[in-house]
Every structure is written in C-alpha cells, then in structure tokens.
Amino acid sequence: MQGSAEQRVPTTRRYLMCPPRFFAVDYVINPWMDPTKPVSADVAVAQWTELRDTYRRLGHTVQEIDPQPGLPDMVFAANSGTVVDGRVLGSRFRAPQRTAEAEHFRRWFVEHGYRDITMPEKVNEAEGDFAWTGRLLLAGTGFRTDPAAHAEAQEALGVPVVSLSLIDPRYYHLDTALFVLTEATDAGPAQIAYYPEAFSPGSRRVLARLFPDAVIATAADAECFGLNGVSDGRNVVLPLEATELAARLAARGYDPVHVDISELRKAGGGPKCCTLEIRK
C-alpha cells in the first residue's frame, strides 16, 4: 500500500560522524578504490560538511569524533559501532589498515558515558553489515563480517538477527545494497529499499518474505551508492545520481534529499557509510 507525503512522519535521529581531514585512497580493500586516481581531502571535507549540515537542517543531532592521522577511512563511521537501545557493539575490522579505528570509537563511547559496550571477538564491521529495522537486525556477510559475528550481535544487543548473504563484491557491505526507510512500530511494519542482485537467491527469498512492500532499486541506483542512503522515516538522504530510486521513493511518499558524495565514493563510501546512528 503506497502512502502520501503527509502520512510519512520523520523521527529525530542522533548521529556520530568523523570529518575526513585525512581522507585518501592509499590502499585497496574494496573494488571501488584505485590509488592511481587523484583524490582531494578538501573536496571530501566539503562534501562531508554538506552531508552533516543536511542532517542538522532536517532537525537531527550530529556529534563528531576527531579524525586520526594514518586512518583515511575513519570518515566511514558506520563501520565502527552498532547502537540499539543504548547498547553498543563495537567493531573488529577485516582489513589491517582499519583495525586501529575500532579503539578510537570505543574510547569515544566510554568518554560520552556509555557503559554497556561489547567489543566483538569475530570480524564485525558494524552498521556496514548491520541494519536495524525496529524489530530485527538484518546482518550481512560474504565479504567482510564473519557470519559468526551475527550470533555475537544477537547476544550483545539482545535483538533477533536475520543473516543475509552478499554475492557481488561491488556491494561488499550490507549498507551498499540495502537500507531501512521506516522502522517498525506498533502502528506498522518496517519498510526497506534494496538491490536484489547483490544477494544470494536464498537471501532474496527471505527479504521478499519479510518485506513484501520493499522499494526495489535498479542496477544504476546501486552503482552510484543509492542504497547507501539514510532515512528518518520521511526524508531520505541520497547521492545526486540516484534519480530512479528517488522517483520510486517519492511515489511512496518519501522526500528525497540529494547530496554530492562523488569524492567519498572513490573510497567506496556514501551517506550511510559516513553516519553511525546512536539509538538510545
């Protein structure tokens, strides 16, 4: 059942972000990275600042963690923690180049009063592969997060977890192929958007069963990181190029909000990669 814009209600969110002061593409840990192509930290900072300011204009709270030299991917804060009901599950990166990021984010949570913090034993790239729907935690695996980390997440966060297998290396994290548009409440079910071809046949069947009203993205939407979007239940922050997805969302009553993430995409990131949601 399609809704109108008047029926979509945004909810105020709290985000943690990291300025890309030391942004660079010095190594290759996903198919989007090419160290031979020039990148600009200044352009990345400008695009990131516009993303942060967009969230604030929409009424959301954005907190910042200080970037660290030698950690060019620290801007992708979503990979460093999953927070549900105030419980924090930290990260454990697969790539050694990013390992040190996890401790910086753990310290940030400790310094800001969080006490229920679990650091995983298995490789777990946090909201890169975990998507909270309000009822279930969708958990990706296939390229980064260890499937055994899904059980760790269920134990640490105390929420049911549904495992999904990614099969296209371009969509190496769940958040490049799926995002939550509306979280489930007593008034209605969750709604998601996703790109089916990024998932194994069994995972596609699971998604179709759980979310029959999902918004289905095209290949072009996925290739520009359109599924790396961020929604507050009404306003949906998307890359500029995700035009077909924006039209499909508008038809469902959502308000697309476009941002330029072209420089950040050179490292394989988009709006959601830069955005760790803190759910208290």
Side-chain angles (χ1 to χ4, degrees):
M1 179 177 178
Q2 296 185 0
S4 66
E6 289 72 26
Q7 293 173 306
R8 299 290 178 194
V9 179
T11 58
T12 302
R13 308 298 176 101
R14 182 179 298 275
Y15 299 131
L16 177 60
M17 300 180 70
C18 180
R21 194 177 309 146
F22 304 107
F23 182 75
V25 178
D26 294 332
Y27 46 77
V28 177
I29 59 173
N30 68 59
W32 305 91
M33 303 177 86
D34 183 351
T36 68
K37 294 183 177 179
V39 298
S40 168
D42 290 340
V43 173
V45 168
Q47 292 181 354
W48 178 92
T49 300
E50 178 57 27
L51 175 63
R52 180 201 63 190
D53 292 350
T54 296
Y55 291 142
R56 289 176 172 167
R57 284 196 297 270
L58 293 172
H60 307 307
T61 298
V62 179
Q63 295 175 269
E64 297 180 24
I65 184 173
D66 291 332
Q68 301 296 318
L71 297 176
D73 283 341
M74 196 170 166
V75 59
F76 301 128
N79 303 147
S80 296
T82 306
V83 187
V84 179
D85 294 335
R87 295 188 181 94
V88 180
L89 177 61
S91 62
R92 187 182 185 93
F93 289 93
R94 182 168 296 279
Q97 295 93 333
R98 298 195 66 184
T99 300
E101 295 177 35
E103 176 61 12
H104 289 294
F105 279 86
R106 187 195 69 81
R107 289 177 183 173
W108 186 92
F109 281 110
V110 170
E111 291 166 0
H112 286 78
Y114 293 83
R115 293 293 175 261
D116 194 342
I117 302 173
T118 302
M119 298 306 290
E121 295 182 7
K122 305 297 183 181
V123 172
N124 158 6
E125 300 205 349
E127 286 194 326
D129 273 325
F130 291 147
W132 176 241
T133 70
R135 292 280 188 272
L136 304 168
L137 188 71
L138 301 179
T141 190
F143 299 99
R144 295 288 186 85
T145 295
D146 188 323
H150 296 180
E152 277 192 316
Q154 180 166 283
E155 191 65 25
L157 298 174
V159 298
V161 174
V162 174
S163 295
L164 301 168
S165 295
L166 297 161
I167 59 172
D168 186 330
R170 295 175 300 168
Y171 308 113
Y172 57 93
H173 272 154
L174 184 66
D175 72 355
T176 65
L178 175 154
F179 72 110
V180 178
L181 294 166
T182 303
E183 292 184 6
T185 66
D186 292 340
Q191 186 170 65
I192 67 169
Y194 71 103
Y195 177 54
E197 285 75 10
F199 296 91
S200 69
S203 294
R204 291 182 211 177
R205 292 194 295 272
V206 168
L207 288 169
R209 182 184 291 269
L210 289 175
F211 306 101
D213 197 33
V215 176
I216 304 301
T218 65
D221 291 326
E223 289 167 5
C224 72
F225 272 51
L227 278 304
N228 199 246
V230 177
S231 175
D232 64 13
R234 174 170 175 166
N235 304 291
V236 185
V237 179
L238 297 170
L240 286 173
E241 301 87 350
T243 53
E244 177 61 28
L245 180 58
R248 294 183 183 188
L249 292 172
R252 301 289 191 100
Y254 295 98
D255 291 342
V257 180
H258 290 285
V259 293
D260 184 0
I261 50 90
S262 55
E263 201 69 15
L264 297 164
R265 192 163 47 221
K266 293 177 181 178
K272 175 55 191 172
C273 289
C274 297
T275 312
L276 191 165
E277 183 167 354
I278 298 176
R279 304 172 187 86
K280 290 191 173 183

